[in-house]
Amino acid sequence: MSKVIKNGTIVTADRTWKADVLIEGETIKAIGADLKGDETIDATDAYVMPGGIDPHTHMEMPFMGTHAAETFESGTFAAATGGTTMLVDFVLPGPDGSILKAMDDWDRKSAPQISVDIGYHVAIADWNETIHGEMAEVVRRGVNTFKHFMAYKGALMIDDDEMFASFRRCAELGALPLVHAENGDVVAALQEKYMAEGLTGPEGHAFSRPPEVEGEAANRAIMIADAANVPLYVVHVSCEQAHEAIRRARQKGMRVYGEPLIQHLTLDDSEYFNKDWDYSARRVMSPPFRNKEHQAGLWAGLQAGSLQVVATDHCAFTTEQKRMGLKGFPMIPNGTGGLEDRMPMLWTEGVETGRLTPNEFVAVTSSNIAKILNVYPKKGAIVEGADADIVVWDPKLSKTITAAAQKSIIDYNVFEGREVSALPRYTLSRGEVVWADGQNSAPQPGRGRFVPRPAFPSQNVALTKWKALTAPRGVKRDPRNIPSGV
Ligand code: URP
Ligand code: ZN
Ligand code: ZN
């Protein structure tokens, strides 16, 4: 059974042209003029783009004494309605500490529910011989990224020596380390201070996590990655201090990537000063929203290429769950939604305003992360042989975002009332239409697949050459001489 997407304008990260796309089964078979298929999907006056990839989500994640309310089923449906055809979710080890068992748990939960494709990042929340050994098996099973939380003291936070050991292990295995960059010790001290001073509401959350704690941690993680001779991906970059660290590292020739979130690009810190406690608490996430200058810097980073990816960090809690923090902001579960709205919001605030070209939009919502995660061009591309993960993007469809109409399970939306000026007419996942505007039917739970991502065989070559060139005379800086292991 074949399908042809007809009369659209294809927009990829590097070019724009008019052509039809023929899909056979799950893959793109041909791209060209006047193609014929058993079924036709009309893309007249629309753009045909690679489906979005959201590389940062937390479905059903156990966190801060509760679980993220978004399920793999509701979350992947929400993703499809917003044009996202793959998400990468964070696997957290359970009380036994095993990252392999944690991956099994995530498989058990996600497999029967997902309706678009999924990948994992695995969190390193401790360091010992078992984790060192299990990391190799995690990579063999198709996860080439490991996450390190520098915040959440007493829970997920990892110390520098552990992080360095894990980064070196990533270098050995051809894996990419990720960091949540915030200085967890300073955050904990500031939380204590503001609580003691009686500043217990959601605004205390923003005060306790100033940009400096993020900038310091980003700089530290970059230094540690440099010492471990491994690239680095900094998640949810929210401020100029962290962005500046990334920019500087890249100028030095380091391979460091930065991921701003659609929330940080479009919502600012005034959200925490709303008189309605629920309103502000629903927006509590880490790092917090920043002021407009930081926002402008993030947009500039996407334009200049010093930031490469726009994600959501979708970690959705209900208002009831947020009320766990009524007595003090440190107990408000951290996280917001955004999975459904990332692409329409970015188009509206990015492309419609002239900040991003449509090609840049594709780059930062799909192609760049597919390359960074080593799944390009299977994902993130419109090219023969690629998975037919495609969004037929209609720049004439519009809506006002409301919680009442969303697919996400939670009872509010941080973008409530915002107008978006483009939406998917169709979303296709591996050749199947999983969302059609006006039909409102949900895709089959369980049809989504786990996408294995191979290790990076030569990821350090360029970096190693650069180091050899810049090493002080007489000093041999061969990364193979760095002792590995625990
Ligand atoms: O507030 C946030 N970001 N919650 C999700 C966990 C994390 O830090 O990514
Ligand atoms: Zn985080
Ligand atoms: Zn996160």
Side-chain angles (χ1 to χ4, degrees):
M1 184 77 167
S2 62
K3 292 186 181 82
V4 64
I5 304 178
K6 281 210 89 70
N7 300 323
T9 300
I10 301 176
V11 180
T12 64
D14 54 5
R15 59 187 284 233
T16 304
W17 75 110
K18 275 191 111 41
D20 299 340
V21 179
L22 176 66
I23 299 164
E24 248 178 42
E26 301 193 340
T27 52
I28 297 174
K29 176 77 179 167
I31 300 166
D34 301 321
L35 299 178
K36 310 252 175 306
D38 302 323
E39 239 178 75
T40 299
I41 294 173
D42 179 33
T44 308
D45 297 330
Y47 299 118
V48 178
M49 309 189 304
I53 301 171
D54 187 341
H56 191 156
T57 70
H58 303 277
M59 302 296 153
E60 307 182 23
M61 184 177 82
F63 192 48
M64 296 185 72
T66 183
H67 282 75
E70 202 73 78
T71 66
F72 286 96
E73 182 174 340
S74 60
T76 49
F77 181 25
T81 67
T84 290
T85 51
M86 178 173 171
L87 48 92
V88 190
D89 205 71
F90 284 86
V91 172
L92 299 190
D96 67 6
S98 166
I99 52 176
L100 282 178
K101 287 202 189 120
M103 244 179 107
D104 290 341
D105 276 354
W106 250 252
D107 281 341
R108 242 191 315 278
K109 286 186 287 183
S110 68
Q113 296 194 62
I114 51 175
S115 56
V116 298
D117 289 353
I118 193 171
Y120 300 143
H121 310 291
V122 170
I124 301 299
D126 198 359
W127 191 249
N128 54 48
E129 289 278 2
T130 309
I131 291 171
H132 174 269
E134 286 188 347
M135 281 173 81
E137 179 59 14
V138 167
V139 172
R140 206 194 56 75
R141 286 203 207 168
V143 173
N144 60 15
T145 40
F146 292 95
K147 171 77 175 288
H148 306 78
F149 290 93
M150 300 170 80
Y152 306 128
K153 187 172 179 176
L156 296 167
M157 182 168 135
I158 189 163
D159 293 332
D160 290 352
D161 56 341
E162 301 170 320
M163 198 163 79
F164 183 48
S166 174
F167 280 18
R168 286 192 304 175
R169 183 67 169 146
C170 288
E172 276 177 353
L173 295 171
L176 172 67
L178 276 51
V179 284
H180 169 134
E182 282 186 306
N183 185 317
D185 287 319
V186 175
V187 169
L190 289 176
Q191 286 177 330
E192 212 172 291
K193 166 183 145 63
Y194 288 118
M195 285 294 286
E197 289 171 4
L199 193 79
T200 58
E203 69 278 24
H205 176 76
F207 289 134
S208 68
R209 306 181 100 100
E212 288 72 19
V213 303
E214 186 181 341
E216 183 280 326
N219 273 290
R220 183 158 37 100
I222 288 168
M223 186 283 290
I224 292 172
D226 193 20
N229 201 18
V230 72
L232 182 70
Y233 182 101
V234 185
V235 304
H236 48 45
V237 176
S238 75
C239 65
E240 176 54 20
Q241 284 83 340
H243 181 195
E244 197 270 335
I246 295 165
R247 252 190 341 251
R248 189 158 20 87
R250 290 173 69 85
Q251 272 171 344
K252 251 175 74 181
M254 290 178 66
R255 202 167 292 123
V256 177
Y257 308 106
E259 169 209 87
L261 307 181
I262 189 63
Q263 297 93 320
H264 288 119
L265 288 163
T266 59
L267 300 168
D268 66 50
D269 53 0
S270 63
E271 303 274 334
Y272 298 117
F273 296 89
N274 194 294
K275 292 220 165 17
D276 176 357
W277 189 95
D278 285 346
Y279 181 98
S280 298
R282 289 164 176 161
R283 283 141 180 92
V284 162
M285 66 167 302
S286 297
F289 304 156
R290 306 294 190 191
N291 68 29
K292 296 234 183 294
E293 283 96 285
H294 290 291
Q295 269 182 2
L298 299 180
W299 281 108
L302 290 174
Q303 292 167 316
S306 49
L307 302 172
Q308 297 76 31
V309 174
V310 177
T312 63
D313 192 4
H314 188 99
C315 186
F317 297 99
T318 63
T319 305
E320 214 39 56
Q321 290 175 299
K322 290 281 185 180
R323 288 183 184 152
M324 289 168 66
L326 273 172
K327 291 214 172 92
F329 67 85
M331 277 82 77
I332 301 172
N334 284 201
T336 64
L339 186 56
E340 194 163 342
D341 308 308
R342 177 183 69 129
M343 306 259 287
M345 279 294 291
L346 190 72
W347 184 275
T348 306
E349 299 294 329
V351 178
E352 293 284 330
T353 56
R355 285 161 164 150
L356 300 176
T357 66
N359 308 92
E360 287 165 347
F361 174 84
V362 172
V364 301
T365 56
S366 184
S367 307
N368 287 355
I369 191 65
K371 290 175 191 169
I372 292 169
L373 297 181
N374 208 14
V375 282
Y376 188 86
K378 176 182 169 66
K379 302 290 188 191
I382 298 212
V383 66
E384 285 167 23
D387 282 1
D389 283 8
I390 295 174
V391 59
V392 177
W393 189 252
D394 190 332
K396 294 223 168 64
L397 284 176
S398 62
K399 71 171 183 186
T400 306
I401 295 174
T402 63
Q406 73 188 4
K407 305 299 175 220
S408 168
I409 227 164
I410 59 168
D411 57 317
Y412 60 92
N413 186 311
V414 295
F415 302 115
E416 183 81 25
R418 299 287 281 256
E419 305 283 335
V420 287
S421 55
L423 287 165
R425 188 185 292 174
Y426 299 102
T427 305
L428 285 84
S429 162
R430 280 180 287 98
E432 184 179 334
V433 176
V434 288
W435 172 250
D437 180 65
Q439 287 182 19
N440 207 22
S441 53
Q444 181 61 43
R447 68 160 298 286
R449 287 198 202 127
F450 172 76
V451 181
R453 309 189 316 267
F456 305 87
S458 59
Q459 66 170 347
N460 283 344
V461 171
L463 203 58
T464 306
K465 276 191 192 140
W466 172 77
K467 287 208 165 180
L469 288 171
T470 56
R473 208 174 295 176
V475 177
K476 198 157 174 265
R477 291 193 67 187
D478 185 338
R480 284 165 300 185
N481 294 337
I482 297 172
S484 63
V486 184

